[in-house]
Amino acid sequence: PAWATSKETIPMLAKAGIVYDHSFMHHDFQPYWAPDTSLSSYVSTDLSRPAEEWMQPMSALKPSGVVEIPANWHVDDWPPLQPSPGRPGTHGYVDIESVERTWKEQFEFAYEEYDEFIFPISIHPQVSGKGHVMRMHERFIRWVNEHEGDIVWMPLGMMAEEFAEGRIAGVRIEGGAQNE
C-alpha cells in the first residue's frame, strides 16, 4: 500500500492471503498484529482538521491475522535520497553521511533500549542501487555486525514468519492476543 492506507487495507490484505504489511508506524522496532479495521474503530488522518479530531488512542483495536512490520521514515532511503519534485517529504540530495548517522542513531537507540528488536530498513533499488548509497549500506552493515549479540539479517517476510511463529517478540495490542 506504499504507506497510504485506508480502513479497507488490512481486510483486503488478509483476504488476499498477504502475510505482512509495512505501512503503519505504531511502533518503530517491534512487530505486531496489524489492527483489524473491520472490527476496530478506524479514524482516518485528515490533516485539514484539528489533530484532536483524528488523533485517537489505540485502546479499542483488535488484532488481525496480518503481521505489521513497522515502517519508519527515518530508516527509509526514499525521502532523503530520491529527488521527487512536487512530492512533499522528499529531498533527494541529503548528504549520505547524514543519512548514515541517522540510521546509526536509530539502531543504537533500539540496541540500548530493547532486549530484542527488529530494524526494518526500507530500501528502494532505484535509490540504494546508486554507488555512493551502496557504499553507505556496506559501512552500515559492517558497523551493525560489530555489535554484540545475535544479529540476523533477513527480509521483512521472514521477520513476519518469525513473529507469527513466536520466535521474535513483538507488541501486544490491548484487548487482543499477541500470537494467536
Side-chain angles (χ1 to χ4, degrees), residues 73 78-79 84-91:
W73 287 112
W78 191 275
S84 299
R87 290 194 64 192
T90 62
H91 307 298

Side-chain angles (χ1 to χ4, degrees), residues 160-168 179:
E161 265 182 46
E162 295 284 310
F163 170 74
E165 294 174 6
R167 291 188 296 273
I168 292 179
N179 288 319

Side-chain angles (χ1 to χ4, degrees), residues 103-165:
W103 288 17
K104 286 180 176 180
E105 288 174 5
Q106 287 279 313
F107 184 88
E108 285 207 340
F109 174 83
Y111 186 80
E112 292 170 7
E113 297 295 323
Y114 294 93
D115 292 330
E116 184 178 336
F117 65 96
I118 61 173
F119 196 77
I121 301 170
S122 298
I123 298 171
H124 301 79
Q126 65 271 48
V127 176
S128 283
K130 298 173 183 166
H132 67 296
V133 183
M134 286 190 293
R135 287 194 173 158
M136 180 200 73
H137 283 287
E138 290 168 354
R139 288 190 306 272
F140 181 73
I141 289 167
R142 281 194 302 271
W143 179 84
V144 166
N145 287 341
E146 291 172 1
H147 288 75
E148 292 183 17
D150 294 328
I151 294 174
V152 179
W153 295 90
M154 65 180 71
L156 301 186
M158 190 178 293
M159 283 182 196
E161 265 182 46
E162 295 284 310
F163 170 74
E165 294 174 6

Side-chain angles (χ1 to χ4, degrees), residues 50-70:
E52 58 269 7
E53 290 185 24
W54 52 263
M55 192 173 264
Q56 302 290 323
M58 293 175 36
S59 59
L61 297 179
K62 304 286 185 244
S64 70
V66 176
V67 175
E68 184 62 35
I69 302 296

